[in-house]
Amino acid sequence: VVKYRLPKWHCDIPLSDACRAIELLRDSAQQWGIDGSKPLGVIGYSAGGHLAATVVTKFLTEKSRPDFGILCFPVISLEIFRTHYGTRFELLGETPTSEQLIAWSANKQVTDRTSPCFIVHCQDDDIVPVTHSVMMYEALIQQGIKAELFCPSTGKHGWNLLSEHFSQRTACQQAILQFISEITLVK
């Protein structure tokens, strides 16, 4: 678990913290009893999903590039009308430029080096519209990046993968494990 610093309009701070955490895990794998031959991923929910999506697209070094990302009801685009205002404000302030909005919209940053992603987003999410996840999925597919989109009809916003009130929890967990096992086969 990474407790990253909030940016207060210095958008590179959370990215730096998350990338440093991945590097630290890789550098300390043997010391901490981590099997360094297995894929190392990043997971994030909502605004943390934006950070995870940013890490898979804008990693700072090859060592900080995650092998995969799990994006749960993520904020993806900061430029669309129905974005999560709090995330956009924390990162870019009150009046971001159009260049900043594009630079920090993960779907606009996908390249052929972007990590594979499993995306889960409930269709009835009334905080972050499912459109965000669909845009990220489409951007990944356009670049030929392995991606999976899991979109149950109900579940709203704010659950986690251990939430018993999330009715699709077991199916989602199984789909994620399958996705990770496929990444493992490729690595």
Side-chain angles (χ1 to χ4, degrees), residues 67-133:
D67 296 307
F68 64 91
I70 300 172
L71 314 177
C72 301
F73 45 89
V75 174
I76 294 296
S77 176
L78 299 183
E79 64 178 344
I80 64 172
F81 175 71
R82 291 194 61 204
T83 195
H84 187 259
Y85 178 78
T87 302
R88 187 169 96 174
F89 178 77
E90 277 295 319
L91 281 172
L92 304 175
E94 190 71 45
T95 56
T97 66
S98 59
E99 290 82 13
Q100 288 175 309
L101 293 174
I102 291 169
W104 293 95
S105 292
N107 61 306
K108 299 289 185 162
Q109 302 307 311
V110 173
T111 70
D112 62 352
R113 293 289 302 136
T114 298
S115 306
C117 290
F118 184 96
I119 308 166
V120 58
H121 206 134
C122 298
Q123 295 172 34
D124 66 348
D125 188 327
D126 55 357
I127 306 292
V128 177
V130 72
T131 309
H132 284 259
S133 289

